[in-house]
Amino acid sequence: MEEVFGVFGDPVEHSLSPVMHNAAISALGMKAHYHAFRVCYEGLGDALLGARAMGFGGVNLTIPLKERAFTLGFVELDSLSRVIGAVNTVDFRDGIRGFNTDGLGALRALEDASVSLRGKSVVLLGAGGAARAIAFQFASVGARVLIVNRTGERGRRLAEDVATVGVAEAFSFSSMEELLDGAHVLVNATSVGMHPLVDRTLVTGDMLHPGLVVFDIVYNPLKTRLILEAEAAGARIVTGEMMLVYQGAEAFRIWTGVLPPVDVMKRAVLDALGV
Ligand code: NAP
């Protein structure tokens, strides 16, 4: 029988996970399929129990369910998803277990671009779900994480949480230029610049310097305004598709024990984005 994998979310129709995972499934010759399922916030508990009862291989969770999974009493959280407070991968092989692969996806995207983080200063824009995962992952490999978030209190709370595993501090936007002067990496983990508001950026080219690595996790569009300004300023750029690919690859490995072909997954994502 064909094994079923999927992504639960609402909205979910624009998710690139089905094309990415189905490309890997085909390349590996597996008898399986990955579908998108629209699951509302209140429906997540029933959907997870149903998926387990029907023998699903595993699911990813996206907006607005990552934090919801955390509040369901029956999802057994691994240590990372517990500190992050969000789950993006659920495995059904041994109960219902929750993981968060977003931070690892971001780390591998930078490693792919030959960027190492140990001892480096990273300015992280945002303190939402993706930023939390990135902050914990980067601090745990020895980066100094400098968090700047629109809602200051949320940024300060994240810095306090991350300080339990590494070095993290919160700053206001007014410190941005000074922070960037001494930084090695800038990560945009906000939704600013994402379709349809593609002309927005929190940081402009005049604040960037050659040698700085500018990583925008937004992948729709792939070349955000921040990425275009960074290119023009001579900074090194890392676009969002490889984080998507590597977080998905790690989920696939958790479910199947198999490392999927990341090149095939990347091609599928770029094709879907029309790049
Ligand atoms: P989220 O939990 O809703 O967090 C959104 C963040 O953006 C918050 O820090 C929020 O600040 C900030 N923000 C939103 N509008 C802003 C504005 N106008 N000015 C300043 N800050 C603003 O979302 P998320 O799940 O972390 O996702 C964030 C982005 O990352 C999305 O574009 C998503 O598509 C992308 N993403 C990419 C990947 C990948 O694999 N490449 C993975 C996950 C997410 P406040 O706290 O002040 O509200």
Side-chain angles (χ1 to χ4, degrees), residues 226-263:
L226 173 62
I227 288 291
L228 293 171
E229 296 220 8
E231 266 183 331
R236 286 179 62 193
I237 59 153
V238 180
T239 50
E241 80 282 6
M242 287 317 285
M243 172 175 169
L244 180 72
V245 167
Y246 280 120
Q247 65 74 30
E250 178 60 9
F252 196 100
R253 189 198 63 74
I254 288 169
W255 300 324
T256 64
V258 174
L259 273 177
V262 286
D263 289 352

Side-chain angles (χ1 to χ4, degrees), residues 208-243:
L208 305 173
H209 56 84
L212 182 71
V213 175
V214 177
F215 175 24
D216 198 336
I217 75 164
V218 171
Y219 53 79
N220 184 19
L222 213 51
K223 291 235 172 157
T224 58
R225 172 150 171 224
L226 173 62
I227 288 291
L228 293 171
E229 296 220 8
E231 266 183 331
R236 286 179 62 193
I237 59 153
V238 180
T239 50
E241 80 282 6
M242 287 317 285
M243 172 175 169

Side-chain angles (χ1 to χ4, degrees), residues 1 45 61 65 69 79 87 113 124 147 155 159 170 216 229 232 236 250 269:
M1 219 171 80
L61 303 181
L65 305 177
S79 54
V87 169
L124 175 65
I147 298 159
D216 198 336
E229 296 220 8
R236 286 179 62 193
E250 178 60 9
V269 166

